[in-house]
Amino acid sequence: MSKILININNLDMINEYEKIGITNFLFAIPEFSIGYTKIPIASIPSNAYILINRVLDTESIDKLKRLAPELMRFKGIFFEDVGVFNIFSNTNLELIWYQNHFATNASSINTWLDLGATSAVISNELTQEEIKDIIASSHKPLVFTILGKNQIMYSRRTLLSNFNEYSNLPKNHKMTLKESHTNNTFLALEEKNGTIIYNDEYFNYVKLQQEIPDDKIKFYLVMNLDLRVEQIKDILDGQEFGSSGFLSKKTVYRMSEYNDR
């Protein structure tokens, strides 16, 4: 459990996680995170990481610059926007590149690592062979997500509000969507800063840990939306749960390819 890093949705969960041996925590923060429960910055312990996964505009970058001194007490930042890296690149904070759908090859990852990023979160939209190859080729230990819901997309637009207004439906900032061609179900969450859509099934890559050299991994990441601590423990202990995601099947780029799988 020493390399498990998990996001925190409720401060009361920290003690429960520590009881099962998890001591590395990631926090989404107000204004700069999307898709996960935000915790007020003042309530976050200093030995934690924070998540800044919004695409930032000029106004948000200016706000982040003003907030920067307050964030220096944390261990590091998981970032998506390049502006975050530019603000903190000359500090002692660990900077971990976490850009969904982009960390799919060793060249892109090593470019960020050579620029000064501490680590990178490897995409979960890869086969197990691709994951192993990238981890083996990385210049620094990587972060590997072993449990979570795959983020399908993120938009700065308020998609659910627009849809509900167009369809004369009541306001709703959380919807479950079903795609009829594949029968896949998606979870859509809307916030002030945009809309994020997940595949509404957890992928579970826990077993793959046994096949990866431990010295090539900085953290095994768990991104929890709605699971209890007891469930997390059972899954990490090997309980069957969720799907194998993309481990044994390549990403579909066109709907016509789906029927061939």
Side-chain angles (χ1 to χ4, degrees):
M1 294 285 189
S2 64
K3 285 195 175 183
I4 297 293
L5 172 70
I6 191 166
N7 67 303
I8 296 295
N9 298 319
N10 185 319
L11 289 170
D12 293 337
M13 300 176 80
I14 294 177
N15 287 337
E16 297 303 311
Y17 282 129
E18 289 178 337
K19 289 177 183 177
I20 63 174
I22 298 176
T23 58
N24 304 300
F25 304 116
L26 176 66
F27 292 82
I29 60 174
E31 298 294 328
F32 298 100
S33 306
I34 189 166
Y36 298 96
T37 302
K38 265 73 75 180
I39 304 294
I41 293 173
S43 301
I44 300 174
S46 296
N47 62 341
Y49 292 85
I50 58 172
L51 174 68
I52 300 181
N53 65 337
R54 268 191 58 210
V55 176
L56 305 179
D57 54 22
T58 301
E59 181 181 354
S60 298
I61 288 290
D62 289 339
K63 285 183 180 180
L64 186 60
K65 288 179 180 178
R66 294 193 293 270
L67 187 63
E70 190 175 347
L71 302 182
M72 293 304 300
R73 66 183 178 88
F74 298 116
K75 294 181 71 173
I77 300 174
F78 281 62
F79 72 94
E80 176 162 345
D81 197 289
V82 177
V84 180
F85 180 80
N86 289 338
I87 291 171
F88 294 99
S89 59
N90 292 320
T91 71
N92 292 324
L93 284 175
E94 296 179 23
L95 298 176
I96 300 172
W97 182 46
Y98 189 12
Q99 190 170 11
N100 281 279
H101 320 299
F102 282 83
T104 56
N105 61 84
S107 179
S108 295
I109 290 172
N110 283 330
T111 295
W112 272 103
L113 299 181
D114 293 344
L115 285 171
T118 306
S119 185
V121 182
I122 188 171
S123 173
N124 58 277
E125 300 165 332
L126 300 166
T127 65
Q128 56 185 348
E129 290 77 15
E130 291 170 328
I131 290 170
K132 291 177 185 177
D133 288 345
I134 291 172
I135 290 174
S137 302
S138 172
H139 294 173
K140 298 176 184 177
L142 298 180
V143 178
F144 175 40
T145 309
I146 56 173
L147 182 67
K149 289 188 176 182
N150 186 38
Q151 181 181 315
I152 303 301
M153 62 160 287
Y154 158 53
S155 173
R156 289 287 303 275
R157 294 166 291 179
T158 52
L159 298 178
L160 298 187
S161 293
N162 294 344
F163 173 78
N164 290 329
E165 181 179 355
Y166 178 81
S167 305
N168 293 316
L169 295 173
K171 290 184 179 180
N172 188 352
H173 297 298
K174 179 179 180 180
M175 294 180 67
T176 301
L177 314 171
K178 187 168 185 178
E179 199 287 305
S180 59
H181 186 80
T182 63
N183 290 320
N184 284 331
T185 303
F186 303 96
L187 174 65
L189 303 173
E190 181 185 289
E191 304 177 15
K192 177 183 68 175
N193 294 308
T195 307
I196 195 164
I197 299 179
Y198 298 98
N199 188 322
D200 200 21
E201 179 183 32
Y202 280 91
F203 63 86
N204 180 357
Y205 295 174
V206 170
K207 291 182 179 179
L208 193 56
Q209 294 177 81
Q210 303 169 10
E211 304 179 33
I212 297 173
D214 193 59
D215 64 331
K216 300 290 289 184
I217 295 295
K218 181 175 178 61
F219 289 121
Y220 295 102
L221 179 62
V222 174
M223 295 302 286
N224 176 29
L225 283 172
D226 50 19
L227 298 176
R228 301 188 311 276
V229 175
E230 296 81 4
Q231 291 175 286
I232 296 287
K233 180 183 184 302
D234 289 341
I235 296 165
L236 294 178
D237 285 342
Q239 182 183 81
E240 294 294 331
F241 177 83
S243 75
S244 59
F246 293 89
L247 290 185
S248 59
K249 57 187 179 185
K250 289 185 177 294
T251 303
V252 170
Y253 295 98
R254 295 184 294 271
M255 270 300 179
S256 59
E257 298 176 356
Y258 191 88
N259 294 327
D260 297 331
R261 298 171 65 168

